[in-house]
Amino acid sequence: MEIINEHGPRSSSPIGVFDSGLGGLTVAREIMRNLPSEKIVYFGDTARVPYGSKSKQTVERYSRQIVRFLKTQDIKAIVTACNTATATAFDVIREEAGDIPVIGVIEPGAVTACNGTKNGRIGVIATRATISSKAYEKAILGIRPDADIFAEACPLLVPLVEEGWIRDEVTDTVIMRYLEPLLQKKIDTLILGCTHYPLLRSEFRRLVGEEIRLVNPAYETARSLKELLKKNELLNTMARNPDDPMPYRFFVSDEPERFAEFANSILPVDVRKAERIAIENY
Amino acid sequence: MEIINEHGPRSSSPIGVFDSGLGGLTVAREIMRNLPSEKIVYFGDTARVPYGSKSKQTVERYSRQIVRFLKTQDIKAIVTACNTATATAFDVIREEAGDIPVIGVIEPGAVTACNGTKNGRIGVIATRATISSKAYEKAILGIRPDADIFAEACPLLVPLVEEGWIRDEVTDTVIMRYLEPLLQKKIDTLILGCTHYPLLRSEFRRLVGEEIRLVNPAYETARSLKELLKKNELLNTMARNPDDPMPYRFFVSDEPERFAEFANSILPVDVRKAERIAIENY
């Protein structure tokens, strides 16, 4: 039975999902797969992407504006589907969200890495801002204080994915150069700490072998989101009517011309369009 | 003798130079070298960088805000030290600039390429937005209608430079993959159509050999700027007093912590700091 509460979010409301750009669609994809009854409002800050090379203060300012926008969309929960924003701006996101429950991508990945590692040696790869923030270190050491964490910023991987150079010797060489120091440290678990990296999952698997556990925070976040919604009695338990209109809406800050192409390469649904909003006005 | 005009710019006023980020410092460097008496106000839009993957409408909006900011700095001329902004937003930049003369980086490079080519086959490499705009094609064909132009978007080169992978086999491989189609077309002239690319000049020279003329629009822009200032009676002919305070000011839209390091690796002067401004408020 649907919970209706005039003073707060309802289970039939959509989930707000945001990212600095389109990488967060890998998180939206996992939510669609694992929570098929849920509606989603996605925002990608394509006019100001990327966040990974920008300062904490700037990422905080941008994140606040995005949460303010999402709150205009009657959302029942917020997923910060951006490692950089989760790593550097999670406190202000929670503050701005007020009563609306918020989840980030770092804690779920950290939990899975801590549960999965045998030798306690965990590798993290991410953008420069995420690595500098030490957010994964803090999350992992909060769960497993004896873990050894080895982190590496990999700023070239996002441009390589966006250029479409997947299954490519240049990308293989770049991945190996970034991973070599981590492999030397005998990690047995590797967190793919940027939303674009799951798109290189097959390459990582091939290059690091079967011995190393790969953690995809997008998948873990979708699972944690389900728990969060249950706990807050916000899970949508109504089966979706297949004749229903599209339960997913997409907003971007730059012109949306190229959105559909990239979205359709990632998502399990056919996306026709995104709507542009002036995010700096929020 | 200095020209003083209460109703317009004066020769002692600074030149406004802007870019999507810090790449435009290669243009500022050429202005410092070639016009040592001139003051410069530089703005780098580091909170919204890069422009090269964004839409025309967004680059136009950002460029307008920057021109409005520069106009608060008593500037006598504007240099659009960004290929993408010149390629996609030059009309609105001129409109917003009003009476202040404006120069971009594309026309000067196109003129030099047309003067230098023997076989009329000119290669252009740049960001995706610059290539899509066909701005170099239009500029070249306006000067030399019989030229054959071969253009290639090279989105990975800026991240490689920013990662510091210069003199690196990965970067060599990427450059050659981008240049191969142009070399097959027997170009004899190559325009480095992005402000970061002159930082790879030695690599280009080594990889393409001595036969191909490399055009650096930053250098050509500084020369054209001198002509523009002369024509408008705005050239500063006063020798600079070596005891004068720093004639260069730097503004950015993101936090300026990492500015000095990058600026000092490019500029012939010692830069201590940049000031942050909230560019979206202009």
Side-chain angles (χ1 to χ4, degrees), chain B residues 253-271:
Chain B
S253 49
D254 197 357
E255 299 303 314
E257 298 104 8
R258 289 194 314 203
F259 175 81
E261 190 188 347
F262 191 79
N264 283 320
S265 73
I266 293 182
L267 298 178
V269 293
D270 183 29
V271 179

Side-chain angles (χ1 to χ4, degrees), chain A residues 254-255 257, chain B residues 51 53-60 88 129:
Chain A
D254 197 0
E255 298 305 313
E257 298 105 8
Chain B
Y51 288 1
S53 53
K54 287 163 195 163
S55 72
K56 179 180 172 67
Q57 293 89 329
T58 291
V59 175
E60 285 181 345
T88 62

Side-chain angles (χ1 to χ4, degrees), chain B residues 11-272:
Chain B
S11 63
S12 63
S13 297
I15 296 158
V17 179
F18 78 92
D19 180 39
S20 57
L22 303 182
L25 291 171
T26 61
V27 179
R29 168 174 71 180
E30 298 297 339
I31 298 170
M32 293 174 186
R33 283 176 179 162
N34 291 283
L35 294 163
S37 300
E38 300 295 344
K39 300 189 193 100
I40 294 175
V41 171
Y42 183 91
F43 175 78
D45 199 358
T46 51
R48 304 187 294 198
V49 70
Y51 288 1
S53 53
K54 287 163 195 163
S55 72
K56 179 180 172 67
Q57 293 89 329
T58 291
V59 175
E60 285 181 345
R61 191 157 46 89
Y62 291 172
S63 299
R64 263 190 208 281
Q65 292 172 332
I66 296 170
V67 172
R68 284 185 211 127
F69 161 69
L70 288 175
K71 287 171 82 174
T72 67
Q73 300 295 306
D74 179 39
I75 50 161
K76 66 180 178 183
I78 292 175
V79 178
T80 307
C82 173
N83 279 272
T84 303
T86 306
T88 62
F90 201 57
D91 288 345
V92 306
I93 292 166
R94 264 199 299 225
E95 183 191 305
E96 198 69 51
D99 291 341
I100 300 170
V102 180
I103 191 169
V105 281
I106 288 181
E107 187 74 21
V111 169
T112 303
C114 289
N115 290 339
T117 181
K118 284 175 187 146
N119 67 6
R121 301 173 79 79
I122 298 170
V124 180
I125 54 174
T127 63
R128 203 176 286 293
T130 300
I131 296 298
S132 301
S133 74
K134 296 194 182 293
Y136 272 105
E137 277 90 332
K138 287 172 203 156
I140 291 167
L141 292 174
I143 302 160
R144 190 166 164 159
D146 65 331
D148 291 308
I149 304 147
F150 305 97
E152 193 74 29
C154 306
L156 286 167
L157 297 186
V158 171
L160 283 163
V161 169
E162 295 194 336
E163 183 69 329
W165 290 18
I166 294 170
R167 264 169 258 152
D168 187 295
E169 58 180 332
V170 168
T171 305
D172 283 3
T173 307
V174 173
I175 290 174
M176 280 315 292
R177 195 176 300 176
Y178 285 136
L179 290 189
E180 198 64 59
L182 304 181
L183 298 177
Q184 281 178 5
K185 297 292 185 182
K186 307 283 180 209
I187 59 165
D188 75 349
T189 302
L190 177 64
I191 299 178
L192 308 181
C194 170
T195 52
H196 277 69
Y197 298 174
L199 303 173
L200 291 170
R201 195 191 169 90
S202 308
E203 281 61 46
F204 287 120
R205 174 55 69 217
R206 177 166 44 79
L207 292 167
V208 306
E210 296 294 325
E211 302 298 296
I212 292 181
R213 185 190 177 105
L214 299 178
V215 176
N216 176 359
Y219 173 71
E220 307 304 336
T221 299
R223 295 207 316 172
S224 294
L225 174 64
K226 189 170 186 176
E227 294 311 309
L228 181 78
L229 293 176
K230 268 190 194 157
K231 202 183 77 183
N232 288 277
E233 300 187 329
L234 287 169
L235 198 66
N236 193 347
T237 51
M238 313 277 279
R240 180 143 62 86
N241 180 340
D243 295 333
D244 263 1
M246 181 74 164
Y248 308 127
R249 284 186 76 186
F250 301 92
F251 295 88
V252 288
S253 49
D254 197 357
E255 299 303 314
E257 298 104 8
R258 289 194 314 203
F259 175 81
E261 190 188 347
F262 191 79
N264 283 320
S265 73
I266 293 182
L267 298 178
V269 293
D270 183 29
V271 179
R272 298 280 164 80

